[in-house]
Structure formats: structure tokens, C-alpha cells
Amino acid sequence: MNWLELIGWAGSAVLVGSLLQTRILRLRALNLVGCVVLIGYNAAVPVWPMVGLNVVLAAINVWYLRDLLATRHDEAVYEVVEVGVDDQFLAHTLRVHAADIARFNPGFTWRREGRQSAFLVVKADEVVGVVLAHAEPGGVAQVDLDYVTQRFRDFTPGEFVYRRSRLFTNQGFRRVVSPPGMVAPYYHRLGFRRQGDAYVLDLPAAA
């Protein structure tokens, strides 16, 4: 097997690997890389129909990547819906994703007492995130769960709850504290500051 064939096999492997990804951004990026490698390989062989196919696939991936990256912080695309803590669809979402939630939030326990808040982050009719919190003394919103579904894990949909809306400030909270024991927290990207084992966001006063 010569070096050119190795490049062809490598491109094919990347292309197949991309289809095994659950994260939509990673899927598109890896698929694009595989297409570009195969364009070079098939042009060198040459197999022009395969070059044409991979050029088209690469263009499609570029189109979707551009859209994903351009709208990742867009409030017109991602919406926060506040729901009741006993909402049946919320319960269904937590049940369907229970194993994945436990993986990234091993210490998750949701108090069913006191003042609680529940938010779903949605893109059109698809749930991309769940944020659950309860009130602590001193105007503190303690987040119990901040979960992002697998397809959107390369994004930060929680920002629409914490920074792009006044859902907490309008309820009189002055501070948000991240959930304890969360795996791979992303709060430093949202302006939270580290405080011990948690991240804290000081909120502006309600208008």
C-alpha cells in the first residue's frame, strides 16, 4: 500500500467516524475534513465523479457549519421557556436523558421543596438544554442541573438563561451559583467567576 492509498483510507475513516458523532457541530466539521481529504485523493487517482461528489458534500458541510456558528448565540434561534416544576414534558425530558444527566451531573438531586425554577432551552421544537434551580437565602439561585443534550454539547445554550435573559433578575435573584460536581463545566465562558468548587455569576439589579 503506497502513501496515496493511505491518504484515501484515512479520508474514508474520518468520513465514517464523522457519522458516528452525536454532536452536530463535530459531525459537520469531521465530515468536512474527510471530504477535503477525499477530494485530494480522488483528484490524484483520478476519479472525477468522486471528486464532484465530495466537492458537493464539502459545500453542504460548509453551509451548515456557517449557519451553526453564526446562530450559536442568536436569541432568535434559541429560546428559553420557563415551565412548572411538575410539568409532564419536563419530567419526560429528565427521564429520557437520565443516564446522560447522571454522567455529567453525578451529584444531581433536585429538591422538591421551597422556591424552584425550571427552564427549557429550545431550538424550534427541539429541547437543547434544561436548567433547574432553587432559591437559597440572600438572593442566591442555586443551580441544581444544567444539562445540554448530546447534539448541542459543543454549544453553550445555558447562556440564554444566565446572560441573555432576565429570568433570574426578574425573580429578585442577585447571584447564580453553578451546580456542585458538574463534569466539564463551561461557566468561565459565560462570565462566571470561580469560587471554591463552584462558579458564581453576580447579576445586575432588576429594572
Side-chain angles (χ1 to χ4, degrees):
M1 183 181 294
N2 58 37
W3 65 269
L4 188 58
E5 289 179 322
L6 286 173
I7 291 175
W9 281 111
S12 297
V14 172
L15 203 63
V16 171
S18 72
L19 299 177
L20 299 176
Q21 301 299 313
T22 56
R23 303 186 184 189
I24 187 170
L25 184 63
R26 188 172 298 180
L27 184 156
R28 289 293 178 186
L30 286 176
N31 200 274
L32 176 60
V33 171
C35 288
V36 170
V37 172
L38 289 175
I39 289 170
Y41 169 74
N42 287 299
V45 174
V47 182
W48 298 114
M50 295 304 296
V51 170
L53 172 63
N54 282 286
V55 166
V56 172
L57 292 176
I60 292 172
N61 282 311
V62 169
W63 174 271
Y64 278 104
L65 279 168
R66 179 177 176 275
D67 180 69
L68 288 168
L69 294 173
T71 61
R72 65 189 306 173
H73 304 296
D74 192 344
E75 291 181 40
V77 176
Y78 297 92
E79 183 179 356
V80 179
V81 179
E82 185 171 6
V83 297
V85 295
D86 295 319
D87 183 86
Q88 291 300 306
F89 184 72
L90 171 63
H92 169 76
T93 302
L94 295 177
R95 184 168 59 252
V96 167
H97 297 282
D100 200 41
I101 289 173
R103 177 186 170 195
F104 288 93
N105 299 266
F108 170 57
T109 54
W110 192 23
R111 299 184 182 185
R112 290 306 186 98
E113 59 184 22
R115 183 180 165 197
Q116 301 168 317
S117 301
F119 307 100
L120 297 177
V121 184
V122 298
K123 181 179 182 181
D125 60 352
E126 181 178 7
V127 175
V128 302
V130 181
V131 175
L132 306 176
H134 70 270
E136 290 284 351
V140 173
Q142 172 63 60
V143 179
D144 298 301
L145 175 66
D146 184 345
Y147 173 71
V148 180
T149 58
Q150 290 182 338
R151 275 169 43 82
F152 294 88
R153 195 151 292 152
D154 291 321
F155 302 90
T156 56
E159 71 177 279
F160 299 101
V161 177
Y162 306 124
R163 301 192 64 82
R164 298 271 180 164
S165 73
R166 302 184 66 84
L167 293 172
F168 285 110
T169 55
N170 287 343
Q171 295 183 24
F173 291 110
R174 300 198 300 270
R175 178 174 294 177
V176 178
V177 179
S178 68
M182 182 178 177
V183 176
Y186 62 99
Y187 297 101
H188 59 284
R189 290 150 61 184
L190 301 181
F192 282 67
R193 57 183 171 83
R194 190 70 180 261
Q195 183 172 298
D197 295 331
Y199 290 86
V200 175
L201 177 66
D202 295 311
L203 300 171

